């Protein structure tokens, strides 16, 4: 089966006199498909009757490369999965290897990881909101405001890890460098100023009549279908299912923080969008607590060897609540320097499987909004 | 009332527009290349080789142990070991790399070579305006282009370089005591 030659079977489902549907190929070079993603859409007038996602344009054999690289050598590749949230990708991978090899993580490093993961969530959700509005035709302005705030957080990442997006910061048993007190002060200042942006952004969008008309009752996803399809993350919670791995698994030091899990009611695009705004507010709460509690000490476990790292034979599945959903890594070790099997459970890919069910019966213009509200990154979908 | 939400949004836009003249926080862009944000101390781009003293050949810290070549995830380093030996900074005779190539069009700036190097010989550079007209040769860096002095290292990473220097001095001290 070659993905590019797939066509749609069009049964008699049209009300047109000549009984024909118009088949349109949206993407892969489309500004609103968030990368190289194609949808084969069958239209009746403007209404979507059938939709088939086609992906694989960005496939680069991530899992096979991971099996041929050393354990540490896969770490920089995880940055390139979901290139918006390299810190959480690093954490998920480091968590899995730590589980596999039974490595302890120092307290300061755990707090640092929480701080960085929540900062990542802030910047991911901020840029998602910008993209979503840009998909709806609000070109430029909201996206620029969102990117302005995101850039401040990326500057923090840059001064800590050396790179804005490809951080490669976590190591097995901790983090690579210790952020000095200056960095902490800067981070505190940025987090303190963040609610102002959120308030402004909410005023900009929440009551806007056009936005309400374009998102409410669009792309509804029922809780049952979401659970059946394995949807995770903000999308699942927007459908009203209380499932947050930070609460369920309590990995890292999350049980030490007080935060609420926002839940949606309708499961439409508007709920999914507001879910991100509310999650950002909770992230700010977590960050304030983490800045208060973080102790001094080492940031990396000195017992972990950096050269010739070989975990014992066995298998491990580690997962975290990434900004897009459950990000999991599955590793099988046979005791050698590279994993026997290396598997990624990407949230965007599995959240995308539900796209057709959400889009049927809506117009072409709504497909873009629904796709935007799923929050995908093609680097992670195709791997 | 219909339309109030849009007016509210417009007010936010106006406030941001006017505010951008008074507050740096509201500015979105920097007018590169006329204006440049300073690079942070930890910024990393592509690796280079450090040499002590003034002689790029004699002072090169690299001893061609090939650990970085082995650990590099995209395999962008090529090292050919020398047959003869030259004295290193502890005046102990060591091998040196006859060929040391890094293809920085393949390099993904992950810093793993820096972390695994036991001799503090390879470090990250901060130069990022590297576009070339040639397709293949221009970004394949040979030993002569990779070698940069310790003084240069001090210029780009002052804190880190000072730490490395003190560590090397300690090692030299410890070795003196032993003999």
């Amino acid at each position: 089966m070659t993905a590019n030659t797939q066509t749609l079977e069009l049964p008699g489902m049209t009300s047109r006199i000549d009984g024909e549907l118009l088949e349109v190929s949206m993407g892969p070079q489309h500004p609103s498909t968030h990368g190289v993603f194609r949808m084969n859409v069958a239209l009746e007038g403007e209404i979507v009757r059938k939709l088939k996602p086609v992906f694989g344009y960005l496939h680069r054999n991530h899992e096979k490369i991971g099996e041929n690289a050393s354990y540490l050598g896969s770490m920089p590749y995880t940055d390139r999965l979901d290139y918006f949230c390299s810190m959480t990708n690093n954490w998920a991978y480091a968590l899995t290897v730590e589980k596999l090899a039974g490595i302890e993580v120092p307290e300061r490093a755990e707090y640092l990881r929480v701080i960085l993961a929540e900062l990542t969530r802030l910047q991911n959700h901020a840029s998602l909101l910008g993209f979503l509005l840009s998909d709806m035709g609000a070109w430029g302005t909201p996206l620029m405001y969102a990117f302005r705030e995101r850039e401040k957080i990326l500057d923090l990442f840059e001064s800590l890890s050396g790179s804005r997006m490809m951080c490669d910061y976590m190591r097995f048993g901790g983090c690579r460098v210790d952020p000095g007190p200056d960095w902490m002060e800067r981070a505190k200042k940025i987090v303190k100023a963040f609610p102002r942006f959120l308030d402004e952004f909410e005023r900009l969008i929440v009551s806007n009549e056009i936005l309400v008309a374009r998102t409410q009752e669009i792309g509804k996803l029922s809780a049952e279908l979401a659970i059946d399809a394995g949807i995770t993350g903000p999308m699942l919670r927007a459908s009203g299912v209380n499932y947050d791995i930070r609460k369920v698994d309590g990995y890292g030091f999350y049980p030490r923080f007080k935060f609420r899990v926002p839940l949606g009611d309708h499961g439409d695009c508007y709920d999914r969008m507001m879910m991100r705004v509310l999650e950002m507010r909770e992230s700010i709460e977590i960050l304030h607590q983490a800045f208060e509690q973080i102790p001094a000490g080492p940031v990396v476990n000195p017992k972990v060897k950096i050269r010739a790292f070989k975990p014992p034979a066995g298998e491990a599945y580690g997962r975290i609540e990434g900004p897009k959903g459950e990000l999991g890594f599955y590793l099988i070790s046979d005791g050698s320097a590279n994993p026997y099997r290396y598997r990624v459970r990407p949230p965007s890919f599995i959240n995308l499987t539900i796209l057709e069910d959400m889009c049927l019966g809506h117009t072409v213009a709504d497909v873009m909004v629904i796709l935007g509200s799923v929050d995908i990154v093609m680097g992670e979908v195709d791997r | 009332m219909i339309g109030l939400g849009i007016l509210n949004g417009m007010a936010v836009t106006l406030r941001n527009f006017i505010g951008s003249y008074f507050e740096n926080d509201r500015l979105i862009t920097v007018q590169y290349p006329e204006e440049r944000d300073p690079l942070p101390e930890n910024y990393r781009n592509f690796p280079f080789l450090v040499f002590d003293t003034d002689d790029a050949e004699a002072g090169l810290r690299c001893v061609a142990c090939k650990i970085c070549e082995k650990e590099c995830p995209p395999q962008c380093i090529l090292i050919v070991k020398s047959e003869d030996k030259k004295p290193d900074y502890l005046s102990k005779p060591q091998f040196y790399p006859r060929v040391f190539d890094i293809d920085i069009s393949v390099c993904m700036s992950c810093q793993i070579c820096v972390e695994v190097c036991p001799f503090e010989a390879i470090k990250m550079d901060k130069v990022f305006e590297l576009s070339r007209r040639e397709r293949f040769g221009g970004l394949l860096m040979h030993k002569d282009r990779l070698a940069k002095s310790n003084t240069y290292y001090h210029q780009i990473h002052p804190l880190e370089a000072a730490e490395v220097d003190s560590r090397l001095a300690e090692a030299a001290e410890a070795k003196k005591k032993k003999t």
Side-chain angles (χ1 to χ4, degrees):
Chain A
M1 185 194 78
T2 51
N4 294 351
T5 53
Q6 275 176 355
T7 48
L8 296 164
E9 299 147 33
L10 305 172
M13 51 168 27
T14 165
S15 57
R16 267 175 59 149
I17 295 173
D18 54 1
E20 276 188 20
L21 293 180
L22 177 67
E23 196 181 317
V24 179
S25 175
M26 296 173 83
Q29 272 77 33
H30 191 284
S32 295
T33 53
H34 299 245
V36 278
F37 176 60
R38 186 155 72 98
M39 287 170 284
N40 274 340
V41 194
L43 302 174
E44 180 192 341
E46 251 195 300
I47 310 291
V48 176
R49 288 293 176 215
K50 206 162 176 118
L51 184 145
K52 191 157 223 143
V54 181
F55 32 70
Y57 293 95
L58 205 59
H59 181 66
R60 55 205 186 281
N61 228 340
H62 180 86
E63 291 179 2
K64 205 72 200 164
I65 291 174
E67 282 162 27
N68 291 321
S70 64
Y71 281 90
L72 181 62
S74 285
M75 186 63 90
Y77 285 115
T78 60
D79 293 337
R80 278 119 180 121
L81 275 176
D82 173 358
Y83 38 79
F84 276 92
C85 336
S86 55
M87 286 292 189
T88 47
N89 296 349
N90 284 178
W91 190 7
Y93 181 58
L95 192 82
T96 315
V97 176
E98 279 152 16
K99 224 176 182 179
L100 186 67
I103 298 168
E104 296 266 311
V105 182
E107 199 155 315
R108 186 177 171 82
E110 287 277 26
Y111 273 105
L112 263 178
R113 285 176 174 189
V114 171
I115 290 172
L116 293 167
E118 294 309 318
L119 283 173
T120 307
R121 203 180 308 277
L122 284 183
Q123 58 101 349
N124 177 70
H125 285 358
S127 51
L128 169 93
L129 288 174
F131 281 132
L132 186 56
L133 284 158
S134 152
D135 288 349
M136 280 184 238
W139 280 106
T141 310
L143 183 63
M144 281 300 132
Y145 294 169
F147 265 47
R148 182 186 65 201
E149 301 307 313
R150 171 173 176 258
E151 203 54 42
K152 287 173 194 164
I153 292 173
L154 290 188
D155 280 348
L156 277 181
F157 288 174
E158 189 183 28
S159 61
L160 180 62
S161 72
S163 192
R164 287 166 64 246
M165 288 166 84
M166 303 298 137
C167 299
D168 187 24
Y169 179 66
M170 312 275 175
R171 286 290 177 263
F172 312 137
C175 304
R176 210 177 63 214
V177 283
D178 188 272
D182 296 352
W183 188 89
M184 282 292 174
E185 283 310 310
R186 266 178 68 201
K188 270 181 210 169
K189 232 167 101 186
I190 285 169
V191 172
K192 215 171 164 189
F194 206 85
R196 186 180 78 159
F197 157 74
L198 271 180
D199 293 341
E200 246 179 31
F201 209 76
E202 269 190 30
R203 273 188 64 199
L204 185 67
I205 60 171
V206 169
S207 56
N208 189 312
E209 288 82 3
I210 302 171
L211 181 119
V212 168
R214 296 251 0 227
T215 51
Q216 284 189 354
E217 300 295 309
I218 300 291
K220 278 189 113 170
L221 177 62
S222 68
E224 293 75 37
L225 184 60
I227 292 169
D228 287 350
I231 308 294
T232 45
M235 230 178 122
L236 178 68
R237 293 193 286 276
S239 298
V241 184
N242 187 356
Y243 184 76
D244 187 321
I245 298 167
R246 288 176 292 177
K247 292 275 189 198
V248 176
D249 268 17
Y251 64 94
F253 278 169
Y254 275 115
R256 296 193 188 184
F257 300 109
K258 272 201 196 98
F259 65 99
R260 291 170 298 173
V261 179
L263 288 179
D265 212 7
H266 305 91
D268 55 4
C269 285
Y270 189 79
D271 272 20
R272 260 170 255 149
M273 194 180 72
M274 290 313 292
M275 188 59 52
R276 266 83 186 207
V277 178
L278 294 173
E279 275 197 3
M280 280 200 269
R281 294 207 185 271
E282 292 306 313
S283 287
I284 291 168
E285 283 303 305
I286 297 175
L287 279 166
H288 283 312
Q289 293 171 41
F291 284 135
E292 264 175 31
Q293 294 175 18
I294 186 166
V299 290
V300 72
N301 187 342
K303 281 180 203 153
V304 182
K305 279 197 292 183
I306 189 147
R307 286 185 290 266
F309 173 79
K310 282 179 190 169
E315 57 182 301
Y317 178 69
R319 58 176 191 171
I320 66 163
E321 177 74 31
K324 294 180 167 67
E326 174 187 339
L327 174 66
F329 283 85
Y330 178 60
L331 287 170
I332 301 179
S333 160
D334 55 1
S336 65
N338 37 353
Y340 175 76
R341 178 81 173 98
Y342 168 87
R343 155 101 186 128
V344 188
R345 187 244 187 247
S348 331
F349 175 61
I350 290 165
N351 290 356
L352 195 59
T353 53
I354 207 81
L355 187 65
E356 187 179 12
D357 299 77
M358 291 195 294
C359 288
L360 291 185
H362 291 296
T363 59
V364 184
D366 289 337
V367 171
M368 275 5 306
V369 181
I370 294 166
L371 180 70
S373 73
V374 177
D375 190 9
I376 56 160
V377 162
M378 289 319 281
E380 196 176 51
V381 173
D382 289 340
R383 305 196 293 297
Chain B
M1 194 186 96
I2 281 215
L4 204 65
I6 293 174
L7 287 179
N8 247 330
M10 297 267 190
V12 172
T13 321
L14 189 69
R15 206 160 86 201
N16 270 286
F17 170 63
I18 295 169
S20 67
Y21 285 95
F22 303 101
E23 272 178 86
N24 263 340
D25 269 6
R26 289 196 195 273
L27 271 183
I28 292 166
T29 47
V30 172
Q31 296 297 324
Y32 181 85
E34 288 83 19
E35 280 175 47
R36 280 153 194 262
D37 277 340
L39 289 175
E41 152 96 26
N42 278 351
Y43 181 80
R44 66 188 147 92
N45 202 349
F46 293 115
F48 70 97
L49 298 171
V50 189
F51 65 83
D52 296 308
T53 64
D54 294 332
D55 190 352
E57 277 291 319
L60 205 65
R61 285 182 190 168
C62 179
V63 300
C65 68
K66 293 195 177 190
I67 290 175
C68 54
E69 188 190 34
K70 201 173 132 238
E71 294 280 340
C72 174
Q75 300 281 298
C76 68
I77 305 178
L78 173 79
I79 302 173
V80 177
K81 206 168 161 181
S82 64
E83 273 113 46
D84 55 329
K85 290 188 177 182
K86 73 166 179 61
D88 70 346
Y89 69 104
L90 295 171
S91 54
K92 182 179 157 197
Q94 293 273 24
F95 290 110
Y96 62 92
R98 193 154 56 79
V99 177
F100 197 117
D101 289 352
I102 296 180
D103 190 346
I104 60 170
S105 61
V106 174
C107 174
M108 60 178 184
S109 320
C110 65
Q111 210 180 4
I112 284 179
C113 51
V114 178
E115 280 167 58
V116 296
C117 181
F119 301 95
E120 314 281 0
I122 190 164
K123 295 289 168 197
M124 291 312 255
D125 208 341
K126 281 191 179 178
V127 187
F128 55 88
E129 286 153 325
L130 283 161
S131 59
R132 293 283 183 277
R133 280 190 181 278
E134 316 89 63
R135 179 153 177 212
F136 295 108
L139 290 173
L140 178 63
M141 306 279 259
H142 297 295
K143 197 168 72 172
D144 52 329
R145 267 169 80 193
L146 284 170
K148 286 177 183 170
S149 69
N150 197 16
T151 336
Y152 174 77
Y153 180 40
H154 272 273
Q155 271 168 20
I156 57 170
H157 297 288
L159 296 175
E160 195 189 296
E163 203 189 309
V164 167
D165 270 11
S166 68
R167 219 180 306 151
L168 286 177
E170 239 170 61
E173 196 79 359
K175 211 188 159 219
K176 235 187 227 167
K177 269 183 198 160
K178 245 187 199 173
T179 51

